[in-house]
Amino acid sequence: MAKLYLKFEQATLKEASLTQAVFTIGRVPDNSLQIDNLAVSGHHAKIYWDNDHYVIEDLGSLNGTWVNGQRVGKATLRDGDRIAIGKHFVEFKDEGFKPLSTVPAAAAGPATPKLDETVVLDTKKAQEIIAAKAAPVAASGPLGLSKPASDATSTKERVGMLNVLEGRTDQAQYVLTGKMAMIGKSSMATIRLKGFFKPKTAALISRRDNKYFISASGDKAKVKINSEEISGQHELKEGDILEVAGMKAAFSLQD
């Protein structure tokens, strides 16, 4: 029976056997393998048996499904293949036994419920993982993901910038060119906080419709804008002073 091993960096988080006719992977709990991370779509991909082999099929995910560094819509799986789902890897191991039950390849995954918006990956760590494996594409977005032609725009966008005023960080200035920037001590953070007691993730800055929004990440994290604590997402304006986990920074927009 084939098995999947869910991994994050060097750690194996979960092990699952492919005992179901259609095995789904995604962020919501009704998946066969749940990956609770905002970089993973609600129903991200599915794996099923097709005649004499296993197939993985992307379910229209935002960040895509990658097999051995190649983005795929549908692909045959072979023993030892590494599947990138968001920031996680799933290792496929096939012992060569046909599953007990099968369904036609066209069988669909579960209906997607309404859920929080999937975050587009744009962290230094994820860029290193995917860029090292992915094939070049003609037009690319964050992490080398291909962008539809309809995404092109002739409007000049203003790019956000953070200038650190107080606190220990790995840089004094950050240009926010991506769709998401994480603030924290984690090695995957875009804005790296220094200090033994700093949280791994303290806040997230997201970019959409040429606007920037900040929100706390975690129950204990607090974010202040211009000395006032915020809840939920808050749009950043030119000249705002943000405070999070001992860091104080000024937000500005540049052409």
Side-chain angles (χ1 to χ4, degrees), residues 207-226:
R207 182 186 185 187
R208 59 182 185 273
D209 299 328
N210 206 24
K211 296 179 181 179
Y212 289 85
F213 301 85
I214 189 170
S215 60
S217 177
D219 295 335
K220 297 182 180 180
K222 295 182 179 180
V223 176
K224 290 184 178 180
I225 303 295
N226 302 324

Side-chain angles (χ1 to χ4, degrees), residues 56-233:
I56 186 167
E57 183 175 340
D58 185 76
L59 295 175
S61 66
L62 182 60
N63 286 311
T65 300
W66 302 70
V67 177
N68 300 327
Q70 300 290 328
R71 188 172 187 174
V72 300
K74 182 189 292 187
T76 297
L77 288 175
R78 296 176 176 84
D79 183 50
D81 280 349
R82 283 169 60 82
I83 306 160
I85 304 281
K87 300 175 185 178
H88 292 70
F89 277 99
V90 177
E91 186 174 359
F92 175 77
K93 289 292 186 180
D94 187 2
E95 299 176 357
F97 298 104
K98 183 177 178 180
L100 297 176
S101 60
T102 60
V103 295
T112 305
K114 185 176 181 180
L115 67 158
D116 292 339
E117 181 180 357
T118 303
V119 173
V120 178
L121 288 176
D122 186 34
T123 63
K124 294 178 183 178
K125 183 68 174 180
Q127 285 174 337
E128 292 172 1
I129 294 172
I130 299 299
K133 299 176 179 291
V137 292
S140 62
L143 303 183
L145 306 187
S146 58
K147 297 173 71 176
S150 59
D151 284 353
T153 175
S154 58
T155 304
K156 188 174 182 180
E157 295 184 348
R158 302 184 71 191
V159 178
M161 178 180 289
L162 281 184
N163 286 285
V164 179
L165 306 175
E166 296 178 10
R168 295 176 58 202
T169 55
D170 62 339
Q171 295 176 203
Q173 187 180 79
Y174 298 89
V175 180
L176 307 175
T177 56
K179 295 289 187 182
M180 184 188 77
M182 180 194 297
I183 301 174
K185 187 180 178 181
S186 169
S187 61
M188 301 182 71
T190 309
I191 301 161
R192 294 280 301 278
L193 302 178
K194 293 185 177 181
F196 187 76
F197 296 106
K198 299 298 181 181
K200 288 188 175 181
T201 58
L204 292 174
I205 297 177
S206 57
R207 182 186 185 187
R208 59 182 185 273
D209 299 328
N210 206 24
K211 296 179 181 179
Y212 289 85
F213 301 85
I214 189 170
S215 60
S217 177
D219 295 335
K220 297 182 180 180
K222 295 182 179 180
V223 176
K224 290 184 178 180
I225 303 295
N226 302 324
S227 300
E228 294 187 8
E229 187 174 332
I230 64 165
S231 61
Q233 286 197 341

